[in-house]
């Protein structure tokens, strides 16, 4: 788990097998805030679908966030950058 500057993060658990992923991690900030992230989903060679949630305590109070992610392979990668 990558931590932002001023954070300490640890994986609570993560399982990735047979086209399924399930995991969670907790991050703590220097200012005492803490949040837990969870991910549940499916993956294959051409598609990923996941639900991610984050909840915790910040200096401004409780917070939560939810995201649904779907990716699909659309073809070969040319290796060229496009910006």
């Amino acid at each position: 788990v990558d931590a932002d500057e001023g954070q300490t993060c640890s994986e609570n658990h993560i399982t990735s097998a047979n086209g399924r992923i399930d995991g969670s991690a907790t991050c703590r900030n220097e200012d005492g805030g803490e949040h837990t992230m969870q991910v549940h989903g499916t993956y294959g060679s051409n598609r990923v679908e996941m639900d991610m949630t984050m909840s915790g305590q910040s200096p401004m109070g409780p917070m939560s966030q939810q995201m649904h992610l779907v990716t699909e392979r659309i073809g070969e990668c040319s290796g060229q950058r496009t910006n």
Side-chain angles (χ1 to χ4, degrees), residues 62-79:
M63 60 155 195
S64 66
Q65 178 179 327
Q66 296 178 344
M67 180 172 32
H68 181 75
L69 170 75
V70 177
T71 65
E72 189 169 327
R73 184 173 187 263
I74 57 172
E76 293 294 321
C77 178
S78 68

Side-chain angles (χ1 to χ4, degrees), residues 2-3 5 9 17 23 25-26 28-30 32-33 42 45-46 55-56 60-61 64 66-68 74 76 79 82:
D2 290 336
E5 189 173 328
C9 297
T26 300
R28 290 172 180 81
N29 300 327
E30 291 175 343
T42 59
S45 58
N46 293 314
S55 60
M60 297 183 300
S64 66
Q66 296 178 344
M67 180 172 32
H68 181 75
I74 57 172
E76 293 294 321
T82 58

Side-chain angles (χ1 to χ4, degrees), residues 11-54:
E11 289 180 3
N12 300 326
H13 77 278
I14 189 157
T15 304
S16 177
N18 301 318
R20 294 195 146 321
I21 187 166
D22 179 71
S24 73
T26 300
C27 294
R28 290 172 180 81
N29 300 327
E30 291 175 343
D31 63 11
E34 178 178 302
H35 58 276
T36 300
M37 299 159 286
Q38 296 181 332
V39 61
H40 308 282
T42 59
Y43 63 89
S45 58
N46 293 314
R47 182 178 166 89
V48 174
E49 187 164 355
M50 290 186 207
D51 288 306
M52 293 172 269
T53 60
M54 181 175 69

